[in-house]
């Protein structure tokens, strides 16, 4: 009875697997995978906070345009005054009101300092741009990492298909060998060789299946998907943009790569820093106004226990004389930093040119390799068919048949890997230009 129940349950699971396995299957292109990674990658969230921090810093710098307003109060105990003659011969103790207090409000507004405030705001804006470019670079790194894992999984999927197809052929061949064996045309060891060939294929399928599970799990983590989601790669394998020359990609990299943009922005930062330093050569002109209230009034005798209030307004002019010799050295430092930023730009452009050139050559090479391996695959398939026909007509031994099958299997795996490598090199080329 228990055995019957097990049999029925096995049949139900085989016919209706979805009732027992709730794994979600999700078809996805490489670009869709990269898009999900950008939305869910924790590192990018940290970089995005840097942009918010830079924007808040700009908002703080803009507050320098507003006046500074201070309010103060003090409550104090006032002791009696002691009046002494100039020759210290006599002294008089003057009673004072003991409770004292003061209240004051003061406002100052910077009117002129060589454009210091506006230049500081512009500098903060450049810092914002740098943080945004840093995020853009991190996005490129995350996208390429995810696409690389996506293509690795795509490779295992294709390899599994190759192994499965070859296993079907091996099983068909084994059936023929078993017929020959039953007819006494071959010995038992021929059957064993056929069975061993299938076992070797099973080992390869098992390894690929486990590799795919690992890559699938890692991708789910990177994309923010449930851990049991099965990702189905559906990226098209045809060549992309094969007719565009390297000059196009070099020009694209100089316009779009965030590293080049950051290097240009750093030159602007150095320029702005020099402008800010030079404002120290200018005097600071400020407007001020305030009101003060104080008790008691101690400027007359007898002292009055009353409040004395007054207001004032005017313009102040200040200048640090030491800036005449200090500013010159600071400007010199700023100019050196600007020269350094220019050299960094040149170095960055050279490195990117080399990266684009290498990526472009490797992309073209991958296309040519795929064509060569496709021809090799066709030759291996033809060799397999000829050897199989000879074997079925007892003109070839089992060892030749297995050798032909191994050549066919390897050529199909090589071509499958070459197709994925074309995609990898294409996306690597886009990454080098900063347009992935």
């Amino acid at each position: 009875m228990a055995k019957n129940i097990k049999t029925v349950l096995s049949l139900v699971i085989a016919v209706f697997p979805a009732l027992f396995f709730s794994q979600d299957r999700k078809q996805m292109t490489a670009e869709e995978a990269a898009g999900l990674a950008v939305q869910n990658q924790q590192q990018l969230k940290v970089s995005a906070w840097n942009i918010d921090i830079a924007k808040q810093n700009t908002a703080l710098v803009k507050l320098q345009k507003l006046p500074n307003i201070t309010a103060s109060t003090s409550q104090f105990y006032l002791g009696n005054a002691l009046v002494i003659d100039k020759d210290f011969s006599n002294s008089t103790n003057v009673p004072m009101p003991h409770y004292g207090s003061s209240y004051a409000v003061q406002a100052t507004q910077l009117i002129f300092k060589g454009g210091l405030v506006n230049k500081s705001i512009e500098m903060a804006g450049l810092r914002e741009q740098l943080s945004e470019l840093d995020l853009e670079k991190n996005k490129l790194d995350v996208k390429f990492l995810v696409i690389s894992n996506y293509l690795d999984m795509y490779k295992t999927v294709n390899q599994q298909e190759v192994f499965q197809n070859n296993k079907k052929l091996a099983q068909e061949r084994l059936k023929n060998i078993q017929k020959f064996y039953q007819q006494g045309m071959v010995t038992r060891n021929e059957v064993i060789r056929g069975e061993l060939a299938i076992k070797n294929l099973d080992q390869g399928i098992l390894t690929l299946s486990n590799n795919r599970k690992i890559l699938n799990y890692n991708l789910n983590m990177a994309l923010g998907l449930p851990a049991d989601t099965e990702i189905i790669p559906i990226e098209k394998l045809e060549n992309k943009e094969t007719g565009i020359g390297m000059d196009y990609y070099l020009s694209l990299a100089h316009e779009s790569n965030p590293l080049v943009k950051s290097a240009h922005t750093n030159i602007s930062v150095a320029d702005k820093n020099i402008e800010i330093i030079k404002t120290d050569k200018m005097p600071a002109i400020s407007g001020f106004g305030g009101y003060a209230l104080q008790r008691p009034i101690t400027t007359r005798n007898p002292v009055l226990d009353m409040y004395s209030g007054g207001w004032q307004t005017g313009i102040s002019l200040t200048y640090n004389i030491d800036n005449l010799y200090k500013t010159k050295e600071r400007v010199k430092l700023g100019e050196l930093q600007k020269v350094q930023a220019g050299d960094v730009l040149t170095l960055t452009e050279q490195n990117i040119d080399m990266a684009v050139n290498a990526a472009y050559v490797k992309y073209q090479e991958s296309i040519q390799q795929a064509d060569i391996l496709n021809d090799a695959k066709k030759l291996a398939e033809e060799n397999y068919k000829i050897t199989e026909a000879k074997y079925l007509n007892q003109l070839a031994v089992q060892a030749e048949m297995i050798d032909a099958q191994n050549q066919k299997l390897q050529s199909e795996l090589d071509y499958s890997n070459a197709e994925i490598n074309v995609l990898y090199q294409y996306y690597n080329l886009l990454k080098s230009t900063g347009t992935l």
Side-chain angles (χ1 to χ4, degrees):
M1 181 70 176
K3 188 175 180 182
N4 291 336
I5 292 174
K6 273 188 185 178
T7 303
V8 172
L9 185 59
S10 299
L11 287 172
V12 171
I13 293 175
V15 177
F16 303 105
L19 296 176
F20 296 87
F21 302 100
S22 60
Q23 188 178 48
D24 182 29
R25 294 166 63 88
K26 188 175 183 64
Q27 293 185 337
M28 193 179 299
T29 64
E31 290 186 4
E32 288 171 343
L36 276 176
V38 168
Q39 295 175 20
N40 295 284
Q41 236 290 330
Q42 191 63 33
Q43 176 61 43
L44 297 181
K45 294 179 181 178
V46 173
S47 298
W49 277 113
N50 289 335
I51 296 177
D52 292 336
I53 291 170
K55 288 182 176 178
Q56 186 60 33
N57 184 60
T58 301
L60 287 174
V61 174
K62 287 180 179 179
L63 293 179
Q64 294 181 19
K65 287 188 172 184
L66 300 177
N68 294 323
I69 302 175
T70 59
S72 63
T73 182
S74 61
Q75 310 294 316
F76 53 89
Y77 179 87
L78 189 63
N80 292 332
L82 181 65
V83 180
I84 304 175
D85 289 345
K86 59 184 180 181
D87 59 357
F88 297 97
S89 59
N90 295 308
S91 64
T92 306
N93 191 31
V94 181
M96 301 284 286
H98 295 306
Y99 174 70
S101 62
S102 67
Y103 305 90
V105 177
Q106 181 79 23
T108 59
Q109 173 69 59
L110 181 65
I111 298 173
F112 175 79
K113 187 65 171 70
L116 174 63
V117 174
N118 288 334
K119 288 178 173 59
S120 298
I121 293 172
E122 290 166 4
M123 174 70 90
L126 291 172
R127 300 289 184 195
E128 275 187 52
Q129 292 178 30
L130 287 173
S131 62
E132 290 168 355
L133 290 170
D134 186 55
L135 175 61
E136 191 176 334
K137 177 188 173 298
N138 289 340
K139 282 182 179 179
L140 285 176
D141 292 338
V142 168
K143 283 181 178 180
F144 188 68
L145 178 62
V146 168
I147 287 177
S148 298
N149 280 274
Y150 172 92
L151 293 177
D152 284 341
M153 192 175 74
Y154 203 168
K155 190 184 295 183
T156 63
V157 171
N158 289 347
Q159 289 175 343
Q160 280 181 296
E161 186 177 351
V162 170
F163 269 86
Q164 291 289 358
N165 290 337
N166 279 270
K167 181 179 177 181
K168 289 178 183 177
L169 291 175
Q171 289 171 333
E172 290 296 323
R173 189 171 66 253
L174 180 59
K175 289 179 182 178
N176 292 327
I177 295 171
Q178 289 171 336
K179 288 178 183 178
F180 291 156
Y181 175 68
Q182 291 170 359
Q183 295 170 6
M185 298 172 64
V186 297
T187 59
R188 169 66 181 160
N189 69 318
E190 294 288 307
V191 177
I192 293 173
R193 285 190 179 189
E195 291 174 344
L196 285 174
I198 293 175
K199 292 299 180 183
N200 288 334
L201 290 170
D202 284 337
Q203 285 183 342
I205 292 170
L206 177 62
T207 300
L208 288 170
S209 177
N210 287 330
N211 288 344
R212 180 180 178 181
K213 288 178 182 176
I214 293 170
L215 290 167
N216 195 100
Y217 183 86
N218 292 344
L219 270 179
N220 283 334
M221 294 297 101
L223 304 183
L225 297 173
D228 63 344
T229 302
E230 181 185 359
I231 297 173
I232 310 297
I234 56 171
E235 184 75 11
K236 294 180 180 179
L237 295 175
E238 71 267 13
N239 298 340
K240 302 174 184 287
E241 300 181 10
T242 55
I244 302 178
M246 187 173 68
D247 288 342
Y248 166 79
Y249 289 106
L250 286 172
S251 175
L252 187 63
H254 283 256
E255 293 174 2
S256 305
N257 195 294
L259 292 176
V260 175
K261 291 181 179 179
S262 292
H264 278 292
T265 305
N266 279 324
I267 292 176
S268 299
V269 168
D271 274 328
K272 194 60 60 180
N273 184 51
I274 293 172
E275 291 179 14
I276 290 174
I277 293 172
K278 287 181 177 179
T279 62
D280 287 340
K281 293 181 178 180
M282 309 301 292
I285 301 175
S286 302
F288 65 89
Y291 184 84
L293 188 67
Q294 183 171 328
R295 167 191 176 196
I297 301 172
T298 58
T299 56
R300 57 155 294 170
N301 191 17
V303 173
L304 294 178
D305 191 10
M306 300 173 66
Y307 284 104
S308 172
W311 60 272
Q312 59 178 342
T313 184
I315 294 176
S316 66
L317 175 66
T318 58
Y319 184 78
N320 293 332
I321 297 175
D322 59 350
N323 284 337
L324 290 172
Y325 53 88
K326 288 181 178 178
T327 302
K328 181 180 177 181
E329 298 302 320
R330 289 202 294 267
V331 169
K332 215 178 266 189
L333 174 62
E335 288 173 344
L336 290 173
Q337 291 171 334
K338 180 183 176 181
V339 172
Q340 182 189 45
D343 287 341
V344 168
L345 171 61
T346 301
L347 178 62
T348 301
E349 288 178 335
Q350 289 176 348
N351 289 337
I352 287 174
D353 286 349
M354 289 188 289
V356 171
N357 177 69
Y360 182 80
V361 171
K362 283 297 179 182
Y363 176 51
Q364 297 301 321
E365 177 188 315
S366 68
I367 295 172
Q368 295 167 9
Q369 282 184 339
D371 291 337
I372 294 171
L373 291 172
N374 188 32
D375 292 339
K377 179 173 75 74
K378 291 176 182 177
L379 290 172
E381 288 172 349
E382 184 180 355
N383 179 61
Y384 176 84
K385 291 177 182 177
I386 294 171
T387 306
E388 183 182 39
K390 289 169 64 178
Y391 180 76
L392 293 174
N393 288 288
Q394 297 294 296
L395 298 176
V397 297
Q398 172 78 344
E400 291 179 275
M401 192 69 236
I402 291 176
D403 184 56
Q405 181 197 358
N406 289 338
Q407 288 180 342
K408 175 178 175 295
L409 174 63
Q410 189 59 52
S411 66
E412 289 175 347
L413 289 175
D414 289 342
Y415 177 66
S416 173
N417 292 343
E419 285 186 301
I420 299 300
N421 189 47
V422 172
L423 288 177
Y424 175 86
Q425 296 299 342
Y426 172 71
Y427 286 117
N428 185 47
L429 177 58
L430 290 186
K431 178 180 180 290
S432 70
T433 64
T435 57
L436 181 61

